[in-house]
Amino acid sequence: MTPCKNCPNREITAANLREGDFPRGIQLELGEPRATPGVIVIGSNPGTAASWEKRVYAEALVDRQSIEATDQACWIRVTAYTHPYYVTLRHFIRVVGYDGPIYWTEAIKCQGSHGRAVKRSCAVGLNQEIEERPGWAIFFVGGVAFEAFDQLDSQLLVNRVVMRLPHPSGRQRTYSWPEILYNLSSLTVEKREMLREPVKIKQQQDVPLMTIDLLKTL
């Protein structure tokens, strides 16, 4: 996994596999051929592995190629089209009008809390992931993911759509995803296109947060 090659936790052991504590959750979902530019979705971390995931990972060989293939197989067969996180965000992305690929990644690549060295390494990897996808929109999902904003190279944000999205597990009424999606689907195509127009981003405060109130301003 290229973004993790300089990470102090780069060595994966059998114990890590049994717990699901290794870099995972980075997936490229292909969209329509020759469609609009892609979208980079940045989550906080891959979360705690489910019991069935741990069993599958424990059987994987301790090498990066087999681990990444196992993680991708688990994601495609189960997680991608059943987990509320992916289902909700994919619906939003498609309704806004992005029909191209979606690059799912995380601000922190491993589950659980980690020290500064790991976070710095993840930031280097995140900048590399963004640089390799010029012109793609960037969506930060949740407050924890948005903390990575300060670690990004500001030049990478030029001529891009950058937006904060509430996490699908959020409980605040302002961030209700069913209401957001309902209001979004009620907009005309022209108004939805306004969400795909890049805005000048100089600091965190410049990044718009997707709320029902934001949709009402369109």
Side-chain angles (χ1 to χ4, degrees):
M1 188 170 294
T2 303
C4 304
K5 64 180 181 180
N6 298 317
C7 180
N9 284 1
R10 65 184 178 277
E11 295 301 326
I12 299 176
T13 66
N16 294 135
L17 286 174
R18 284 194 296 271
E19 294 303 316
D21 188 16
F22 59 90
R24 55 187 174 83
I26 301 177
Q27 305 290 346
L28 176 62
E29 177 178 340
L30 300 179
E32 295 293 330
R34 298 180 298 278
T36 55
V39 175
I40 301 172
V41 180
I42 304 174
S44 54
N45 59 64
T48 302
S51 57
W52 67 267
E53 288 180 292
K54 293 179 182 180
R55 289 194 298 271
V56 173
Y57 294 140
E59 296 173 358
L61 297 175
V62 186
D63 68 77
R64 294 227 178 246
Q65 185 174 1
S66 63
I67 291 168
E68 290 178 20
T70 300
D71 183 39
Q72 185 179 46
C74 289
W75 187 79
I76 292 174
R77 293 175 184 174
V78 181
T79 312
Y81 300 101
T82 59
H83 196 288
Y85 177 87
Y86 295 104
V87 173
T88 301
L89 296 176
R90 182 184 297 107
H91 185 182
F92 170 80
I93 290 168
R94 298 312 187 201
V95 172
V96 169
Y98 290 102
D99 297 324
I102 304 175
Y103 182 76
W104 303 92
T105 188
E106 311 288 346
I108 302 297
K109 310 304 183 188
C110 299
Q111 67 186 35
S113 58
H114 298 277
R116 292 181 179 179
V118 173
K119 291 181 178 180
R120 283 197 298 269
S121 176
C122 287
V124 172
L126 190 58
N127 274 289
Q128 179 181 342
E129 292 171 274
I130 293 173
E131 185 176 13
E132 291 174 349
R133 293 159 182 85
W136 288 34
I138 302 175
F139 293 160
F140 293 90
V141 184
V144 175
F146 193 50
E147 292 175 2
F149 179 89
D150 286 339
Q151 304 296 321
L152 297 182
D153 181 349
S154 60
Q155 293 302 312
L156 297 177
L157 305 179
V158 177
N159 295 324
R160 291 182 189 262
V161 172
V162 182
M163 184 177 293
R164 296 169 57 194
L165 303 181
H167 198 284
S169 67
R171 296 293 184 267
Q172 300 98 324
R173 178 174 173 78
T174 307
Y175 300 158
S176 169
W177 268 109
E179 290 187 71
I180 288 175
L181 293 173
Y182 175 80
N183 281 269
L184 180 62
S185 62
S186 300
L187 296 177
T188 63
V189 173
E190 290 74 16
K191 288 188 175 181
R192 293 182 207 174
E193 289 177 349
M194 294 173 65
L195 294 172
R196 304 202 307 270
E197 296 177 359
V199 296
K200 186 173 294 185
I201 304 294
K202 293 184 178 180
Q203 53 188 349
Q204 281 186 324
Q205 291 83 348
D206 298 330
V207 181
L209 172 64
M210 173 51 59
T211 61
I212 298 170
D213 291 338
L214 175 61
L215 293 176
K216 289 179 179 178
T217 65
L218 299 177

